[in-house]
Amino acid sequence: MSTALLQGKFAVITGAASKRGLGKATAKLFADHGATVAILDLDEAAAIAAAADLGPQHVGMACNVTDLEGATRTMQALIAKWGQIDILVNNAGITQPLKIMDIAPGNYDAVLDVNLRGTLYCSQAVIPHMRERKQGKIVNMSSVSAQRGGGIFGGPHYSAAKAGVLGLTKAMARELAPDNVRVNAICPGFIATDITGGLLTDDMRVTINAGIPMGRAGTAEDVAGCALFLASDLSSYVTGSEVDVNGGSLIH
Ligand code: NAD
């Protein structure tokens, strides 16, 4: 058994009900390291079931990250229950494989809202509490798509949303550093999860793998390990960074 890195810590992870997703794997690793975890997702039953998988002390709640009032209410309820929130992982995200001219206003709204607005709103919902306690860690899920201009699955609006997450991460890191709140982003490469919604073809998979020096897709656990590093004191002097978890698919 390795040393528990999050003993006594309370963590909130958005979009973490998806069974094979990055949020769920992160929630599990955090729980294995002693944290009490809240899994937030659109569907309450799925969030509750995902939390129950981790153990009885963990919490599942419905939360749409694009709704500022709802997100604030959810965080307030968790602070009332736990007394503290130490870690927020802004993981909820959606993507769509569209070309530039096929992005309709509704596509733009959906993708920008969940990925970027949701990251802002959930952060705003915990920042006053973290500032008051003079401690906190926020981990935002960006993407290699932001850094290399897509080319994997998501369209340009997804690249733009995830690039927005990087800018937001860095600006928040700068503003919150004096209050000892660290903010970092993870840029996963191609990870085998259900985010592609069955739209990923075998041909696309072969092409993608050919562009990965490590020769394989990442796993959700590969990303969870990085999230644990950024959420724990191992990264105590790291803020405003973007950490690549991409098997070498973008080396820069
Ligand atoms: P996933 O589809 O398995 O999980 C995403 C979860 O977000 C789902 O449970 C979904 O219900 C939830 N969600 C969607 N809209 C929401 C909303 N408005 N409010 C709350 N929850 C909402 O996806 P994943 O692959 O685990 O992706 C997790 C994060 O990692 C996303 O931000 C994604 O963009 C990012 N990412 C994934 C990959 C990859 O290859 N899988 C690569 C780079 C970045």
Side-chain angles (χ1 to χ4, degrees), residues 32-43:
D32 288 348
H33 275 267
T36 306
V37 178
I39 287 182
L40 310 186
D41 214 301
L42 290 173
D43 182 64

Side-chain angles (χ1 to χ4, degrees), residues 85-236:
I85 293 175
D86 301 283
I87 298 156
L88 168 66
V89 181
N90 284 307
N91 168 78
I94 60 168
T95 187
Q96 300 167 343
L98 297 177
K99 299 290 184 200
I100 188 72
M101 293 310 294
D102 298 327
I103 302 168
N107 299 121
Y108 178 91
D109 287 346
V111 168
L112 271 287
D113 274 0
V114 180
N115 291 289
L116 184 53
R117 188 189 295 272
T119 299
L120 173 68
Y121 283 176
C122 290
S123 301
Q124 286 179 325
V126 296
I127 284 168
H129 169 74
M130 288 182 171
R131 275 190 156 145
E132 200 177 291
R133 295 182 66 227
K134 293 270 179 266
Q135 55 175 303
K137 290 111 187 166
I138 299 176
V139 179
N140 296 329
M141 222 43 99
S142 180
S143 171
V144 71
S145 292
Q147 302 163 306
R148 50 170 259 172
I152 293 189
F153 182 83
H157 54 334
Y158 179 74
S159 297
K162 291 305 197 186
V165 168
L166 287 182
L168 183 63
T169 300
K170 293 174 188 193
M172 286 202 300
R174 192 179 292 280
E175 192 175 330
L176 300 180
D179 291 314
N180 194 33
V181 176
R182 296 191 292 104
V183 190
N184 291 287
I186 300 177
C187 294
F190 177 59
I191 317 291
T193 72
D194 297 321
I195 197 168
T196 48
L199 295 177
L200 184 78
T201 64
D202 284 344
D203 281 355
M204 285 162 83
R205 207 186 309 273
V206 170
T207 310
I208 292 168
N209 282 347
I212 304 173
M214 285 185 72
R216 65 166 178 90
T219 65
E221 291 70 27
D222 290 330
V223 177
C226 183
L228 175 63
F229 167 69
L230 292 174
S232 76
D233 289 338
L234 286 181
S235 59
S236 52

